[in-house]
Amino acid sequence: GVRDVLFLYEENRCSMTYMYEYPEYLKIKLPKKTARRYPAYELYLYGEGNYAEENKNLLLTGIPVLFLPGNAGSYKQVRSLGSIALRKAEDVDFKYHFNFFSVNFNEELVALYGGSLQRQTKFVHECIKVILKLYRDGEFAPSSVAIVGHSMGGLVARALLTLKNFKPELINLLITQATPHVAPVMPLDRYLTDFYTAVNNHWILKAQDLRNLTTLSVAGGFRDYQVRSGLAFLPRLSQHDSALSVVSSAVPRAWASTDHLSIVWCKELILATIRAFFDLIDENTRQITEDPKKRMSVLNHHFVRHPAKMFEENPEAFTELTGAFMWITVKTSKWTYSVYNDSDGKYFTFPLASHRKSYSHVYCENSMLDTSSWIYGCMNTNSSMCLEAADLSWRAELLPTTKVVMLKLQDYPSLSHIVIQVPPAVGNKYALGCEFFREDSRTVQLPVTHLFSFGLSSSKILLNSTGLLYNVQLQHFNQIYQAFNIYIESHCWSLKERKPSVYRLHIPWSHEDSIIVAKVPSLAEISAKLHVAQPHNDSSLPELNIYSSPDCQYEVSNTVLFCAFILVFQIVRFHAGAFPVYIVSNILLTYGGQLSTLRSTGQCSDFSLELVRTAKPYKVEPLISIVVFLQGFNWFREIWESLSLPEVDAAVLSSQDAWFPLVSLILFLFGTGIAYWSGVFFSTSLRLFSSLWLTLIRPTALQKDKLITPRRLCGMISLALVSWTTCGAFAVLIIYLQYLFKLVHIFVTSVFHFQDSGHSKETSQNSSTYTDKAQSSMDSIPNATQSPSNSATIAEAVNSLKMHITILNLFTWIVLLSLPSLIYWLKNLRYNVRLDPDPCRSTAIILVCILEILMNSSTSEVKSSKLLKIAAKVPLPLSVAMLAFGRMHLYRVPYFVTFSLLLHMLCCIV
């Protein structure tokens, strides 16, 4: 599954963007109050060469565009947009040009730590006000700023509208690149999830107020494994007529999937963006148009369906067919024509009257990829010529090697002829073709194998191509857990040179098409996976459009692997972020099992054996499934809400169409496997550290000490102060390293004491002998040569060691989940010693107190505790709660672990 996500995707089709002159970044001076409030942030103006020199005095006359970098992003990523926009402005002699600004967010890890998102949003608001002040004395002063946001920068841009004092008219265009709009990729703290909730709720509840803001979200496709494209689609309840979401593989003239970083420099995609920017300019104001309908028309033109014509807001309905061209009538249902060095222009006319009864559609294609009109509709009923015709070229669609038009004859009852214009072509070679057909004769249905049809299965159809177009409908292909390969093998009757075939996988409910160009004959492979599941109110079918070569045979087949493999691929793609929850849940169940065994037998069982015995999915999954089922009833939902309980994450994922059969079971099994190997890793690491320790230091004998001493109390208070005054995650890391050191010491001391008491005569043994027998000392009772008191002492040490290993295993995941805030704090230490807000502070203080006691405890205190029965039973309901409420809120995982450890600590005292 990991291999599929990280490596099995299309090759990089993007070209690199290059600067023709050295890029320069002019720092904009901010008001003192703003600079003092946000010392880590800066605002820059991009420039190159003479343009950069001219703008050093900040007498700007262009159109302002603000670029917002994302997680750990650089303000210098604006250079691709800025450079291509500058070249485009030179092409129009600077009649219009754009000034690209960029914000330096100090490369903060905002995708992992949400505490600075609100601060970034407020700083961007201040930047917009500063930018607009730079133009206030100009002739065409702008009243708004266009924003391009990469990754989390796009979310910050959307969050501007949630600010109380923000005026929505300050931005009228927002383009986001690979921005996870729906939910955070890794919800590691509540500030991040709360920020998402506030932004998305505002955009849904205030959708009517966002009509004047046009939003385009571009996702990277399957190459972007950091932010899956399903997260980059704007929430469905947002205003439909002012928001557009596309995948880069479907963008005309790009047709390329991009990874998370290349989306900011992919030349094909940047060109589409800059062309759209220039088409958005209002000639009267010399700024981006205030007309929302025009803005959406431009974005649809460049990012959804490109007719291979320059954008026109109101194209003329009728066009005069002029020129001394020869008129040729074509009466056949299928026509192809090749042009090479043709000095005479021609009009080919196709009378429709004779075809309307026999055919339902007409399809035409043209391999000349210029932007001129080429297909028209005439309304003359008595003549084979017409001087005025409707320009049907606007109905065309651009593909990588051709432009195509398909018209339903029933929709054009007034047309008498179709006219194809073939202008003189000196030195050019291209081909045209038209055919009339019935839709049912060119539409074939290919059933997609269902998930539960176990084993290797495939479907196959054969197309004996006499036409130019075939549509293969993929039945029952509508869920994200479905994944299969489509193979298209082409065979031709002759070996003459042919135009390449174009295969397009078209998903009608979202703009996520993928296109492949293949030579003929050849074998092409298309990976069929969905980014977005089919909406419940949509009954359309995905299609494979085959733009074929005449007189070739096409064999189309789909191959579905065993259902477990399909689920593994898609589970890793959609739910890899939930792995920590399932791993910790398994370890917590094992921990509860060890406490239970300790209570019943007086011995602590081995981690791996207890994991096999206690970590069973049927203990946790059924209860969650029952709750999700009952939440479909209003009475249960009312009771649930009256108890102020949060919504079960599985229900939320189901509403987002991201939950599918068996996913939780397989995730739990993954968690079991990873938990098992983490236990093996801990035991092995412990032996390695012990071996190193024994080569350096001779351990002291086992000693029994008090749980709480003045020295430990001082250490506890010191770490609590560190947590409160600096960073909670820093205190957690310190206590973790202290615990690890203590555990190695216990391990070495136990092994040494066992060897020394049982084999005192073997003084020549080296340190490796101790560590080689370490495992046996953990798994067996000492032999009879030892005294009863020694046996009891060593057995107790071994039991304590096993319990400590499990506790440290649990604690390791808490440390890993808190690392992002620690990294953020270290990176910003020069600006502020105290991390504020700190998602780990309160948890860290509690953990410091708990672990300072637990690391010095043994199982002898726990066995006699009155609370042991409760402490042994609590991990099970905590595991259930963790899976119910932690999948989309990873920051809740430490809360459940901390509560379980708190009970263990109380067992040592009470």
Side-chain angles (χ1 to χ4, degrees):
V2 173
R3 174 176 160 270
D4 176 67
V5 172
L6 298 183
F7 303 109
L8 294 185
Y9 45 68
E10 67 179 65
E11 61 181 10
N12 184 19
R13 299 187 204 168
C14 285
S15 306
M16 177 60 77
T17 310
Y18 294 99
M19 283 78 250
Y20 287 88
E21 297 174 279
Y22 195 79
E24 295 184 35
Y25 306 89
L26 178 64
K27 187 176 178 180
I28 306 297
K29 188 176 180 180
L30 299 171
K32 289 182 180 179
K33 185 180 177 181
T34 303
R36 191 166 54 250
R37 188 181 299 171
Y38 309 101
Y41 302 157
E42 297 166 324
L43 177 65
Y44 288 88
L45 172 65
Y46 178 82
E48 294 177 20
N50 293 332
Y51 169 78
E53 288 294 325
E54 292 169 3
N55 286 332
K56 281 187 176 178
N57 56 10
L58 293 180
L59 298 176
L60 306 178
T61 58
I63 303 167
V65 180
L66 179 60
F67 176 79
L68 304 180
N71 178 59
S74 169
Y75 66 95
K76 295 182 179 180
Q77 289 173 309
V78 72
R79 60 184 177 269
S80 295
L81 285 163
S83 184
I84 289 184
L86 183 58
R87 302 280 85 78
K88 181 81 171 174
E90 289 174 351
D91 291 343
V92 296
D93 295 325
F94 280 91
K95 181 181 179 182
Y96 313 113
H97 71 279
F98 289 86
N99 303 126
F100 275 85
F101 297 84
S102 184
V103 172
N104 178 16
F105 285 135
N106 194 31
E107 300 184 8
E108 291 178 338
L109 297 172
V110 286
L112 303 177
Y113 169 73
S116 62
L117 283 168
Q118 195 67 27
R119 186 161 55 246
Q120 286 190 1
T121 305
K122 292 177 180 178
F123 179 73
V124 172
H125 185 199
E126 298 299 323
C127 287
I128 291 173
K129 291 189 282 188
V130 169
I131 289 169
L132 292 177
K133 281 182 182 178
L134 296 174
Y135 296 86
R136 60 185 172 186
D137 298 327
E139 183 181 355
F140 298 99
S143 59
S144 61
V145 174
I147 296 181
V148 178
H150 172 240
S151 187
M152 294 298 287
L155 189 72
V156 168
R158 288 180 61 212
L160 285 167
L161 296 155
T162 65
L163 298 178
K164 290 182 180 179
N165 57 345
F166 183 79
K167 299 176 182 177
E169 58 268 20
L170 290 180
I171 52 173
N172 58 14
L173 177 66
L174 170 60
I175 297 178
T176 67
Q177 302 170 325
T179 296
H181 292 293
V182 177
V185 178
M186 293 291 286
L188 292 171
D189 64 61
R190 63 183 176 86
Y191 305 113
L192 191 57
T193 54
D194 289 350
F195 189 83
Y196 264 90
T197 302
V199 172
N200 284 331
N201 285 348
H202 182 88
W203 276 60
I204 291 170
L205 297 174
K206 304 287 185 180
Q208 297 296 326
D209 300 337
L210 303 176
R211 286 181 175 179
N212 291 325
L213 172 62
T214 303
T215 310
L216 168 69
S217 175
V218 183
F222 289 114
R223 281 188 64 85
D224 188 350
Y225 57 81
Q226 294 183 47
V227 176
R228 62 178 177 85
S229 296
L231 292 178
F233 278 67
L234 290 161
R236 288 175 184 166
L237 294 178
S238 295
Q239 198 67 24
H240 279 284
D241 57 359
S242 63
L244 181 64
S245 301
V246 299
V247 179
S248 60
S249 60
V251 175
R253 304 173 83 170
W255 297 299
S257 178
T258 62
D259 60 55
H260 197 63
L261 290 179
S262 68
I263 198 168
V264 300
W265 56 254
C266 178
K267 185 178 179 180
E268 290 77 7
L269 201 57
I270 299 299
L271 282 170
T273 306
I274 297 303
R275 290 185 189 116
F277 269 130
F278 275 85
D279 283 340
L280 285 166
I281 296 173
D282 186 325
E283 292 187 4
N284 297 322
T285 63
R286 298 205 174 185
Q287 296 294 326
I288 290 178
T289 178
E290 296 294 328
D291 183 1
K293 290 184 178 179
K294 180 182 177 180
R295 293 198 296 262
M296 283 304 295
S297 296
V298 171
L299 295 180
N300 275 292
H301 179 94
H302 289 283
F303 288 91
V304 178
R305 185 185 179 96
H306 198 296
K309 287 180 67 65
M310 303 295 285
F311 176 79
E312 294 180 27
E313 186 177 0
N314 297 305
E316 294 184 4
F318 294 94
T319 305
E320 292 185 4
L321 302 181
T322 58
F325 288 6
M326 184 187 303
W327 288 80
I328 302 172
T329 302
V330 180
K331 295 184 178 180
T332 58
S333 61
K334 181 181 176 183
W335 167 83
T336 57
Y337 185 74
S338 297
V339 181
Y340 182 61
N341 276 339
D342 197 343
S343 58
D344 298 323
K346 298 180 178 66
Y347 285 120
F348 291 91
T349 64
F350 299 81
L352 298 182
S354 58
H355 295 301
R356 287 188 183 275
K357 291 182 180 180
S358 305
Y359 305 107
S360 62
H361 290 72
V362 58
Y363 166 84
C364 294
E365 61 184 20
N366 184 353
S367 64
M368 172 62 82
L369 301 182
D370 60 357
T371 57
S372 57
S373 296
W374 60 283
I375 182 169
Y376 305 91
C378 285
M379 300 179 189
N380 297 348
T381 55
N382 300 320
S383 172
S384 60
M385 294 175 58
C386 64
L387 299 178
E388 191 176 64
D391 189 353
L392 299 178
S393 305
W394 293 104
R395 301 284 186 272
E397 183 174 12
L398 181 65
L399 296 174
T401 61
T402 185
K403 48 189 179 184
V404 302
V405 174
M406 187 166 70
L407 304 174
K408 189 175 182 179
L409 298 179
Q410 187 179 346
D411 295 340
Y412 300 90
S414 60
L415 295 186
S416 61
H417 294 75
I418 296 290
V419 178
I420 302 292
Q421 180 182 5
V422 182
V426 179
N428 292 329
K429 182 179 181 180
Y430 61 97
L432 301 98
C434 282
E435 65 171 338
F436 293 85
F437 62 89
R438 296 194 67 84
E439 186 178 23
D440 54 4
S441 68
R442 297 300 172 83
T443 303
V444 190
Q445 293 184 335
L446 182 67
V448 173
T449 309
H450 196 266
L451 173 69
F452 296 106
S453 56
F454 295 94
L456 187 73
S457 59
S458 63
S459 304
K460 186 181 293 185
I461 57 173
L462 197 63
L463 306 175
N464 290 310
S465 175
T466 56
L468 303 173
L469 172 69
Y470 274 94
N471 294 321
V472 180
Q473 293 181 340
L474 304 174
Q475 294 180 306
H476 315 300
F477 179 41
N478 51 22
Q479 297 297 328
I480 59 171
Y481 58 76
Q482 294 173 292
F484 56 94
N485 292 327
I486 300 175
Y487 296 95
I488 308 172
E489 188 171 5
S490 55
H491 304 280
C492 299
W493 309 124
S494 61
L495 298 177
K496 67 179 183 179
E497 184 182 352
R498 299 175 184 275
K499 69 180 181 70
S501 295
V502 177
Y503 310 131
R504 175 170 67 177
L505 181 61
H506 174 60
I507 310 299
W509 57 81
S510 65
H511 303 297
E512 54 176 282
D513 295 4
S514 55
I515 294 180
I516 288 180
V517 179
K519 294 181 180 179
V520 180
S522 67
L523 175 64
E525 179 183 346
I526 299 176
S527 180
K529 299 170 189 171
L530 294 175
H531 297 292
V532 179
Q534 186 176 29
H536 300 294
N537 57 353
D538 194 310
S539 59
S540 55
L541 293 175
E543 287 185 341
L544 174 65
N545 305 133
I546 300 177
Y547 300 93
S548 57
S549 294
D551 305 321
C552 289
Q553 185 184 72
Y554 292 82
E555 185 179 281
V556 183
S557 60
N558 72 62
T559 302
V560 182
L561 296 175
F562 184 66
C563 73
F565 294 138
I566 302 171
L567 284 175
V568 167
F569 295 159
Q570 298 302 79
I571 283 170
V572 173
R573 188 181 307 281
F574 284 86
H575 299 287
F579 280 175
V581 182
Y582 285 88
I583 297 166
V584 176
S585 176
N586 274 273
I587 300 173
L588 199 58
L589 286 172
T590 307
Y591 173 61
Q594 285 180 314
L595 289 174
S596 180
T597 306
L598 183 66
R599 176 175 170 267
S600 59
T601 65
Q603 301 292 327
C604 183
S605 55
D606 186 63
F607 176 83
S608 57
L609 296 175
E610 197 61 46
L611 178 72
V612 173
R613 191 179 72 84
T614 57
K616 304 294 184 184
Y618 60 76
K619 292 183 178 181
V620 293
E621 291 299 333
L623 184 59
I624 298 173
S625 300
I626 291 169
V627 171
V628 172
F629 172 75
L630 291 175
Q631 281 194 331
F633 299 97
N634 290 330
W635 61 268
F636 185 82
R637 214 163 35 241
E638 289 172 3
I639 296 172
W640 190 269
E641 290 171 359
S642 67
L643 296 173
S644 299
L645 292 171
E647 195 170 1
V648 177
D649 287 349
V652 178
L653 289 167
S654 296
S655 66
Q656 296 174 358
D657 298 317
W659 204 243
F660 39 90
L662 302 179
V663 62
S664 192
L665 174 63
I666 294 177
L667 282 170
F668 190 92
L669 296 177
F670 282 174
T672 307
I674 298 171
Y676 174 84
W677 287 107
S678 70
V680 172
F681 172 78
F682 262 90
S683 298
T684 307
S685 301
L686 205 56
R687 296 180 66 185
L688 290 173
F689 282 127
S690 302
S691 177
L692 181 62
W693 184 295
L694 283 168
T695 59
L696 300 174
I697 304 169
R698 181 180 177 84
T700 56
L702 287 169
Q703 291 181 350
K704 182 64 182 167
D705 204 354
K706 290 182 179 180
L707 280 177
I708 302 175
T709 64
R711 183 180 175 183
R712 287 169 190 162
L713 196 60
C714 288
M716 199 184 299
I717 294 170
S718 299
L719 284 177
L721 285 173
V722 167
S723 177
W724 185 260
T725 57
T726 59
C727 173
F730 183 50
V732 167
L733 181 62
I734 293 172
I735 195 72
Y736 175 78
L737 295 175
Q738 188 179 337
Y739 201 154
L740 184 63
F741 178 83
K742 182 79 175 181
L743 187 59
V744 173
H745 178 67
I746 294 171
F747 185 88
V748 172
T749 305
S750 302
V751 174
F752 180 83
H753 195 67
F754 168 66
Q755 300 291 348
D756 191 54
S757 61
H759 306 276
S760 58
K761 294 180 181 180
E762 300 178 23
T763 55
S764 61
Q765 286 184 313
N766 58 28
S767 61
S768 64
T769 307
Y770 299 125
T771 54
D772 289 341
K773 296 186 179 181
Q775 194 62 41
S776 65
S777 70
M778 289 176 61
D779 297 332
S780 62
I781 301 297
N783 55 43
T785 61
Q786 299 163 331
S787 66
S789 61
N790 267 349
S791 296
T793 304
I794 295 171
E796 192 61 47
V798 171
N799 285 332
S800 300
L801 193 61
K802 291 176 181 178
M803 186 59 71
H804 283 307
I805 288 174
T806 304
I807 293 172
L808 196 66
N809 201 346
L810 273 174
F811 191 36
T812 299
W813 287 98
I814 296 180
V815 173
L816 291 175
L817 291 173
S818 64
L819 271 181
S821 61
L822 175 64
I823 296 169
Y824 179 91
W825 173 73
L826 289 171
K827 197 169 184 179
N828 290 272
L829 197 55
R830 62 186 177 193
Y831 302 110
N832 204 335
V833 175
R834 190 173 193 257
L835 179 63
D836 190 32
D838 187 350
C840 304
R841 182 167 292 133
S842 55
T843 310
I845 293 172
I846 297 170
L847 279 171
V848 162
C849 300
I850 292 172
L851 293 170
E852 191 68 53
I853 295 174
L854 283 182
M855 74 171 71
N856 297 292
S857 68
S858 66
T859 52
S860 59
E861 296 113 346
V862 178
K863 278 191 288 187
S864 58
S865 173
K866 298 176 182 178
L867 294 176
L868 181 57
K869 184 177 180 181
I870 298 171
K873 290 184 176 181
V874 161
L876 175 58
L878 286 179
S879 293
V880 176
M882 190 185 297
L883 294 185
F885 305 116
R887 277 183 274 225
M888 295 180 66
H889 305 82
L890 291 179
Y891 62 89
R892 291 174 179 166
V893 171
Y895 304 159
F896 299 111
V897 175
T898 302
F899 184 75
S900 189
L901 294 178
L902 176 64
L903 287 176
H904 190 155
M905 183 204 72
L906 292 174
C907 287
C908 299
I909 300 171
V910 180

